[in-house]
Every structure is written in structure tokens, then in C-alpha cells.
Amino acid sequence: WLEPELDDEAMAEAAAAAGGDGDGDAVPSWPSVGQQVWSHSAMAIQSVPSSYMFLFGGQNAPRRYNNAVSVFDTGRNKWETPKTITGAPPPAREDSPFGYDDSTKCLVLFGGWRQKWLDDVWTLNVAGICGPPYAVNAIEPQSGPYTGQAPVMITGLLFSESNV
């Protein structure tokens, strides 16, 4: 496990919550998702400028299932309920396998349990929340025209070097 990097303000908040003074007396803790939940589905998606973790469903009391979606922004170290989700959500459940289709930017939820095994499939488009897993910082030369075999250099975050 890695401890999340926190800025000075977040460190002070975490220390105050733990009874410290912000000078290293208290160890910062992970932010709360807002409610106790178990048997949920979770999926991390790499994105720029920060990655996200999606949490769906589970139980928040014995035999009390939910169909809530929460998103953890790793850059801000904060849980949120997304406001960009549209359409009817799947029925509440637990133990649902979760996958991510990078080509459509959709989370794919299959089945799960709610007093019986479910065999349905649901998708959630998260393109409005997650950006691509890369970012273009610069293109050289900065002006054209570009023709034929003219070399162009593209630099950015999470690129790998290749000759195309």
C-alpha cells in the first residue's frame, strides 16, 4: 500500500481530524467514501491529469443493497458522487464484476447478487469524468505546412518513444 501524497492544506485537515497539529504529529488517513459499504465493485482508471477509482453498489447494512456510484479523484484525494451520470441505474446489488472498455470509455457491470445471482449487463459511459490516459504538451514544428515525409515531434505525458 502507498500512502497518498497530500498537499499542506490536506495534511493540516488530516492532522486536525486525527488530533495532531499538522507538523507531522498525526498520520494522514484515507478520505471517507461517506458511508460504510462492503461487497461493492471497484475499478481504477488511469487518466490525465489524475486517475479515478469508481465504486458501485454493495451493502451498507445487512441485506440493504445499494446502487450508488462514487468516484475517487486521486489528484484531489476526494470522493464525489458524479453529477454527469444519466439514465436509469442498474438495480441495487453486490459482488458484481466490473470491467472497463477503453475504446468506448464505458464501465461494464455484469450480474452480481441480490438474494439470487443476477445475469444482466449494464454500461456506464465515464468519458465525461475521465480524460484519456495521456496528454499532448507540445507539437514541433509549431507551424506548417506539413507535407509528405516532414518530421513532426509530439511530446506529452505517458507517451512512449516510437518512430511512426
Side-chain angles (χ1 to χ4, degrees):
W1 289 97
L2 296 175
E3 184 176 52
E5 291 184 30
L6 300 175
D7 60 22
D8 291 340
E9 183 180 332
M11 283 288 282
E13 288 176 12
D21 62 8
D23 292 329
D25 293 328
V27 177
S29 61
W30 287 94
S32 172
V33 73
Q35 66 177 347
Q36 185 180 43
V37 63
W38 61 90
S39 299
H40 55 273
S41 304
M43 171 68 59
I45 300 176
Q46 186 176 18
S47 180
V48 170
S50 60
S51 297
Y52 296 89
M53 174 164 297
F54 289 82
L55 186 139
F56 171 79
Q59 288 188 51
N60 47 19
R63 293 196 178 137
R64 195 166 107 208
Y65 304 97
N66 77 73
N67 62 350
V69 175
S70 297
V71 181
F72 183 70
D73 182 338
T74 63
R76 295 183 5 213
N77 201 35
K78 184 177 180 182
W79 284 99
E80 294 182 332
T81 300
K83 295 168 182 51
T84 58
I85 295 177
T86 60
R93 62 190 66 206
E94 67 179 343
D95 297 325
S96 300
F98 229 5
Y100 180 65
D101 182 353
D102 192 44
S103 66
T104 63
K105 305 296 184 218
C106 286
L107 290 170
V108 180
L109 180 80
F110 172 74
W113 175 262
R114 183 174 179 141
Q115 302 305 322
K116 67 176 183 173
W117 288 111
L118 307 170
D119 63 355
D120 51 352
V121 177
W122 293 79
T123 61
L124 174 62
N125 188 310
V126 295
I129 299 170
C130 297
Y134 60 86
V136 175
N137 290 343
I139 300 176
E140 294 179 23
Q142 292 183 2
S143 60
Y146 304 109
T147 59
Q149 303 274 327
V152 175
M153 179 176 288
I154 302 172
T155 58
L157 298 173
L158 301 175
F159 278 20
S160 58
E161 188 173 325
S162 68
N163 293 324
V164 180

